[in-house]
């Protein structure tokens, strides 16, 4: 009996000495998960951040929006489903005194119930994703009520994909107008996703595993190896975790976190803040070289929706435009548009050799679920003269980087976007299927 008590005390002391971080009561848990970040973690509120200009009124709104939170693809879902078995090993390690996880985090992980839809409804829009998109629509409608309450001339078009179509429907639902419907999505190349059917780009970039060379090289970096070792020791699992295991566990963490309900995921307890930042950087490397400055074609593709933006506002100036234009698309398209505008550009390319903690290219902030780039055309009257300006918003906050004072004069706006009107993607060579 005495030996048993001593053993229990020893295990307790061993566990307590290593359980220096508890996820459940961390106060400010890290909630940035690259492109799987919840919109609520990074958004502003356009109702509060609206740029009000004396003598001006909004006359047209143009937006490019990523779809809301969706369930993982079948490929990633399969890896995540297989990783669920590791939970029993983590619980056993804790009972045997090999884990440094906190008791409450273990209890929460043990009680966690699998959402079958996460594996059975691949890529479908989640209820949280619906709420994200509905919320954006509601706040925009509220902010520009005078312009949008009687919305007659408009375009709402989703890119190809059911989860994107459902995102558009959620956004439109906020307008409480039964006469507004999304346009039919096009399977071929379109304004908000021209890269999808570009054969050469799909072959050389999107479906080329070599494009991820830097992110794979980073997995040999001492920083990543230290992260992997911390996860190994924190969980106390007897066998060695593979890179696939680590990625699957990370995906379980970021897919089961609720931004709308501010609900923590017990799977995130397996990682420290440093671990999550390292894993986030792997995703940044992937998006940078696939969608951003690491691929020359990205800038060209990004010019196509920006040319549409210019044409849309030119028509409004001519008296024949639309009050609102909204395109619903992928994170890839937003990344390409940032590249065309020169946003979030670092002085040096992102590298596997060194993780710049102050880098500008951060997919958690720029490519989260439901991220959106919105441009507002204002008509201004001064001394009986009419002029126009454009204000850009990213995730419901004004962008200061496009024009010096945050508000583009019409001349600045036109000069910046006019070169994009002649953009061609004749390098595609052949057409490919979008999915």
């Amino acid at each position: 009996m005495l030996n048993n008590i001593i053993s229990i005390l020893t295990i307790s002391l061993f566990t307590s000495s290593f359980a220096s971080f508890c996820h459940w009561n961390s106060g400010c848990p890290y909630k940035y998960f690259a492109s799987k970040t919840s919109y609520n973690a990074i958004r502003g509120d356009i109702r509060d951040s609206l740029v009000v200009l004396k003598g001006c009124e909004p006359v047209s709104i143009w937006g490019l929006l990523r779809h809301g939170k969706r369930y993982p693809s079948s490929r990633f879902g399969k890896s995540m489903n297989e990783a669920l078995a590791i939970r029993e090993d983590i619980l056993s390690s804790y009972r045997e005194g090999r884990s440094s996880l906190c008791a409450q985090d273990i209890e929460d992980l043990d009680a966690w119930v699998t959402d079958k839809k996460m594996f059975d409804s691949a890529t479908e829009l989640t209820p949280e994703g619906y709420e994200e998109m509905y919320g954006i629509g509601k706040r925009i409608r509220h902010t520009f009520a005078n312009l949008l309450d009687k919305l007659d001339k408009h375009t709402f078009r989703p890119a190809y994909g059911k989860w994107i179509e459902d995102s558009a429907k959620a956004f439109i639902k906020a307008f409480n107008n039964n006469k507004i419907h999304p346009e039919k999505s096009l399977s071929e190349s379109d304004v908000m996703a021209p890269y999808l059917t570009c054969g050469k780009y799909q072959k050389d970039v999107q479906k080329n595993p070599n494009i991820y060379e830097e992110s794979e090289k980073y997995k040999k970096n001492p920083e990543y190896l230290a992260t992997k070792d911390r996860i190994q020791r924190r969980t106390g699992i007897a066998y060695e975790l593979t890179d696939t295991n680590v990625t699957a566990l990370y995906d379980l963490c970021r897919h089961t976190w609720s931004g709308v309900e501010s609900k923590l995921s017990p799977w995130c307890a397996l990682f420290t803040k440093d671990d999550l930042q390292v894993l986030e950087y792997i995703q940044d490397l992937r998006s940078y070289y696939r969608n951003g400055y690491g691929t020359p074609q990205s800038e060209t593709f990004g010019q196509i929706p920006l040319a549409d933006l210019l044409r849309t506002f030119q028509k409004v100036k001519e008296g024949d435009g639309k009050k609102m234009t909204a395109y619903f698309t992928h994170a890839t398209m937003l990344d390409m548009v940032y590249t065309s505008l020169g946003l979030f550009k670092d002085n040096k390319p992102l590298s596997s050799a060194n993780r710049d903690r102050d880098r500008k290219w951060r997919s958690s902030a720029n490519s989260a679920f439901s991220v959106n780039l919105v441009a507002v055309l204002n008509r201004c009257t001064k001394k009986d003269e009419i002029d126009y300006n454009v204000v850009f918003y990213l995730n419901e906050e004004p962008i200061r980087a496009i024009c010096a004072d945050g508000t583009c004069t019409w001349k600045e706006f036109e000069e910046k976007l006019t070169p994009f009107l002649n953009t061609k993607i004749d390098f595609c060579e052949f057409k490919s299927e979008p999915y």
Side-chain angles (χ1 to χ4, degrees):
M1 180 68 175
L2 181 60
N3 287 338
N4 288 340
I5 293 173
I6 291 173
S7 296
I8 292 170
L9 287 172
T10 301
I11 291 172
S12 178
L13 288 170
F14 176 85
T15 304
S16 298
S17 66
F18 283 89
S20 57
F21 166 79
C22 296
H23 179 63
W24 71 275
N25 68 348
S26 59
C28 295
Y30 198 71
K31 51 189 176 182
Y32 306 108
F33 306 110
S35 63
K36 303 301 184 287
T37 300
S38 165
Y39 183 61
N40 270 9
I42 52 93
R43 76 170 178 87
D45 191 320
I46 198 164
R47 295 172 297 185
D48 299 323
S49 63
L50 178 69
V51 176
V52 179
L53 302 166
K54 188 176 180 180
C56 301
E57 64 170 337
V59 291
S60 185
I61 299 169
W62 183 97
L64 188 68
L65 303 92
R66 186 195 180 192
H67 58 80
K69 183 176 183 179
R70 64 173 175 85
Y71 293 113
S73 66
S74 55
R75 180 167 69 91
F76 285 100
K78 182 175 182 292
S79 298
M80 291 163 62
N81 202 4
E82 291 171 351
L84 291 178
I86 296 176
R87 174 167 62 169
E88 291 307 315
D89 299 319
I90 295 171
L91 300 176
S92 296
S93 295
Y94 179 82
R95 288 192 292 266
E96 294 166 10
R98 297 196 308 272
S99 167
S100 63
L101 288 164
C102 298
Q104 187 61 57
D105 289 329
I106 284 290
E107 183 179 320
D108 292 343
L109 186 63
D110 188 26
W112 181 80
V113 178
T114 305
D115 178 3
K116 290 185 177 180
K117 279 192 172 183
M118 188 163 63
F119 306 116
D120 298 341
S121 304
T123 71
E124 285 188 14
L125 189 71
T126 68
E128 180 172 338
Y130 186 95
E131 289 299 319
E132 288 173 344
M133 297 304 296
Y134 178 82
I136 297 169
K138 181 181 70 174
R139 290 188 292 275
I140 288 177
R141 183 187 63 117
H142 180 275
T143 303
F144 301 100
N146 291 339
L147 176 66
L148 302 178
D149 272 358
K150 294 181 180 179
L151 188 55
D152 43 11
K153 297 180 179 180
H154 56 77
T155 290
F156 295 96
R157 188 158 79 240
Y160 187 73
K162 186 177 183 303
W163 67 98
I164 302 179
E165 294 168 8
D166 289 343
S167 294
K169 291 175 183 176
F171 181 89
I172 292 170
K173 182 74 174 175
F175 285 77
N176 292 327
N177 187 336
N178 293 330
K179 295 181 180 179
I180 302 176
H181 302 283
E183 295 180 5
K184 183 178 176 59
S185 62
L186 306 176
S187 59
E188 64 266 22
S189 179
D190 202 358
V191 171
M192 80 297 287
Y195 60 90
L196 274 179
T197 53
C198 179
K200 185 169 175 55
Y201 174 79
Q202 288 293 322
K203 176 176 174 289
D204 294 348
V205 180
Q206 287 277 332
K207 297 175 182 177
N208 179 6
N210 294 331
I211 206 72
Y212 304 119
E213 182 181 3
E214 282 298 309
S215 60
E216 290 303 309
K217 283 167 65 176
Y218 184 65
K219 292 178 182 178
K220 296 178 175 62
N221 186 297
E223 190 172 52
Y224 171 78
L225 295 176
T227 287
K228 191 175 175 183
D229 182 61
R230 278 195 301 271
I231 299 167
Q232 185 81 51
R233 289 186 289 111
R234 189 167 171 78
T235 57
I237 296 174
Y239 53 87
E240 184 177 353
L241 290 170
T242 65
D243 291 337
T244 300
N245 292 150
V246 170
T247 300
L249 293 171
Y250 177 55
D251 283 341
L252 280 168
C253 160
R254 57 191 192 146
H255 274 282
T256 57
W257 179 292
S258 173
V260 170
E261 299 175 358
S262 297
K263 187 177 180 181
L264 305 181
S265 167
W267 288 100
C268 294
L270 310 186
F271 311 96
T272 65
K273 178 181 177 180
D274 287 342
D275 298 336
L276 292 173
Q277 289 176 333
V278 165
L279 296 171
E280 177 188 17
Y281 186 59
I282 291 175
Q283 302 302 315
D284 287 350
L285 286 169
R286 289 172 65 88
S287 67
Y288 181 89
Y289 285 97
R290 184 188 61 204
N291 310 336
Y293 293 101
T295 295
Q297 298 98 319
S298 294
E299 182 177 353
T300 303
F301 284 122
Q303 292 172 0
I304 293 174
L306 290 172
D308 180 90
L309 165 59
L310 176 57
R311 292 190 190 98
T312 299
F313 282 177
Q314 285 175 333
K315 287 181 180 178
V316 174
K317 279 191 66 183
E318 294 163 3
D320 188 32
K322 298 176 180 179
K323 291 182 177 180
M324 184 160 193
T325 301
Y327 297 119
F328 303 85
T329 185
H330 307 263
T332 299
M333 191 73 258
L334 270 300
D335 286 344
M336 290 173 169
V337 169
Y338 302 148
T339 306
S340 298
L341 290 172
L343 298 175
F344 317 118
K345 187 173 185 179
D346 293 281
N347 293 330
K348 296 180 180 179
L350 268 59
S351 168
S352 59
N354 176 51
R355 174 171 62 99
D356 182 359
R357 294 171 185 263
D358 297 319
R359 66 190 178 280
K360 296 175 183 177
W361 187 271
R362 304 191 75 101
S363 51
S364 292
N366 310 332
S367 308
F369 284 122
S370 299
V371 291
N372 51 89
L373 179 71
V374 172
V376 178
L377 177 66
N378 296 295
R379 182 172 58 215
C380 307
T381 305
K382 187 176 181 180
K383 294 182 180 179
D384 296 327
E385 291 186 6
I386 294 178
D387 196 8
Y388 292 83
N389 60 51
V390 178
V391 180
F392 285 91
Y393 298 85
L394 180 65
N395 304 328
E396 304 180 57
E397 292 283 358
I399 305 175
R400 309 292 178 189
I402 295 178
C403 294
D405 62 351
T407 301
C408 300
T409 65
W410 179 260
K411 182 180 179 182
E412 288 175 321
F413 173 75
E414 201 166 37
E415 286 180 351
K416 189 174 288 289
L417 270 59
T418 294
F420 303 158
L421 292 175
N422 297 318
T423 298
K424 291 181 173 55
I425 54 172
D426 46 10
F427 56 79
C428 290
E429 294 184 1
F430 61 96
K431 181 180 176 181
S432 66
E433 293 299 320
Y435 296 101

